Amino acid sequence: MAFSNDSEWLDSGDFVYTIHSVIPVEKKQSFELLQHQMNEAACGFDGYCGQSISFQDKDDGQHVLATTRIVFQTLNQCLHWLDSPERRRLLHQAETLMDYRYHGTLEADSFDQWIQARQLEKVPVWKVNLLVWLALYPSVMVLILLGNSTLATLPLPLNMLVSNFITVQLTGHFLVPRLSRLYENWLHTSSTRFTWLGITSVLLVQLFLLTLFSQWPGMPWDASDLSPHGFVLSVVQCVCSWNLG
C-alpha cells in the first residue's frame, strides 16, 4: 500500500497509532525490512490505510529515532492488527533472525486526536456564548472597580479600547477555558434536563454576582433602586416562558 502524507492522515479522522523507537544505526536497514513486512501483512486487515516511517539521528551518533505511524479507519480495527498472530509472528521472527528487540513508546496524543476527530456533534454556539457572558460580566465589573482611579480618568474611547483589550485577554486565556472544562459535559450533552440545569446554574451565578456587585461598598455607581428580588422574578418568568415555548 502506498504511503500517504502524515498531515493528511492526521486531518482525515482516521485512527493514527504512532510509535517512537530508538534503534542502533546498524539495525536501521533491518528495521525498515521489518516495517515493510508489517505493512504487507497489515494490508490484509480491514480498515488498514497504510503506514509511514521517518528517522531522526540521535545526538550520540550511534542511534536513530524511528517514528512509525500506523493508520486504520477505527480504533478497534487497529487493536485487532496489533494483537494479531501475524504481527506477533513477524516480531518473533525479527527477534530470532535479525537479533532485534522491538521496543518503543506510544504517542498518547494519537488517542486524543482520534477521539476529538470522532466527535460528531459540535458544541452549540449559544452554549459557548453563555459561558462567555458568564466570564465577561465579572471581568468587566472588577475592571471598572479597580480602574476607577486609573482607566476612568482616560477619554472614553481610549478607556474602552484598553478595557476591552484587558477583558478579552482575561476571558479568552483564563476564564473561558476554565469554564469550558467545568461545563464540559454540559456543552456536549443532548439531554434537555441536563441542558436546563446548566442554564439555571449560569443564571444563578450571574444573579449572585449581580447582588454582590450591587451591594459592594465603594462601587462607583448608585444601586439604591436595584431590586434583586424583582430581578429573580423576571429571570424565573423568562425561564418558564422558554420552557413552555
Side-chain angles (χ1 to χ4, degrees):
M1 180 171 296
F3 292 168
S4 301
N5 182 274
D6 284 354
S7 61
E8 293 178 356
W9 275 341
L10 294 175
D11 295 335
S12 66
D14 295 326
F15 179 73
V16 183
Y17 187 87
T18 304
I19 302 175
H20 302 288
S21 305
V22 177
I23 58 177
V25 173
E26 63 271 14
K27 299 293 183 181
K28 180 180 177 181
Q29 186 174 0
S30 298
F31 181 86
E32 291 179 301
L33 176 60
L34 171 63
Q35 296 306 320
H36 176 73
Q37 294 173 337
M38 289 279 194
N39 178 67
E40 290 186 336
C43 286
F45 283 73
D46 292 338
Y48 182 61
C49 300
Q51 71 174 13
S52 70
I53 310 171
S54 61
F55 296 95
Q56 180 180 353
D57 294 332
K58 300 290 288 184
D59 293 337
D60 60 6
Q62 299 179 359
H63 296 82
V64 294
L65 174 65
T67 301
T68 307
R69 300 187 188 278
I70 308 169
V71 185
F72 279 82
Q73 292 177 356
T74 68
L75 172 60
N76 288 336
Q77 290 171 335
C78 182
L79 294 177
H80 180 61
W81 156 247
L82 294 176
D83 196 40
S84 66
E86 291 86 347
R87 183 172 181 270
R88 291 200 300 268
R89 176 180 57 80
L90 288 172
L91 291 178
H92 178 71
Q93 184 180 40
E95 292 178 350
T96 303
L97 301 180
M98 295 184 285
D99 192 26
Y100 173 71
R101 295 295 179 268
Y102 195 88
H103 178 73
T105 58
L106 169 66
E107 187 175 283
D109 289 344
S110 298
F111 289 92
D112 297 336
Q113 171 265 328
W114 180 80
I115 292 173
Q116 293 169 6
R118 288 298 182 181
Q119 289 180 346
L120 300 180
E121 296 185 1
K122 295 184 178 180
V123 176
V125 175
W126 69 266
K127 287 187 176 182
V128 177
N129 290 340
L130 202 61
L131 292 188
V132 173
W133 177 52
L134 181 58
L136 191 60
Y137 176 60
S139 302
V140 172
M141 297 300 288
V142 170
L143 186 61
I144 291 176
L145 177 63
L146 297 180
N148 188 40
S149 59
T150 54
L151 292 175
T153 61
L154 300 175
L156 182 59
L158 180 59
N159 183 343
M160 294 302 297
L161 179 67
V162 176
S163 299
N164 287 344
F165 176 80
I166 294 175
T167 53
V168 166
Q169 298 302 313
L170 181 61
T171 57
H173 292 287
F174 182 76
L175 293 179
V176 171
R178 283 162 176 76
L179 286 173
S180 298
R181 287 193 290 270
L182 180 64
Y183 280 85
E184 181 177 2
N185 293 332
W186 175 75
L187 287 171
H188 296 280
T189 186
S190 57
S191 168
T192 302
R193 180 182 179 183
F194 195 34
T195 296
W196 278 107
L197 286 175
I199 295 173
T200 303
S201 70
V202 171
L203 294 178
L204 288 176
V205 172
Q206 292 289 54
L207 177 60
F208 169 77
L209 292 173
L210 173 63
T211 304
L212 177 65
F213 290 129
S214 300
Q215 307 301 324
W216 194 277
M219 283 291 190
W221 51 76
D222 183 9
S224 57
D225 295 333
L226 180 65
S227 174
H229 180 264
F231 179 80
V232 172
L233 290 179
S234 65
V235 170
V236 172
Q237 292 174 354
C238 184
V239 170
C240 289
S241 63
W242 288 345
N243 194 24
L244 293 176

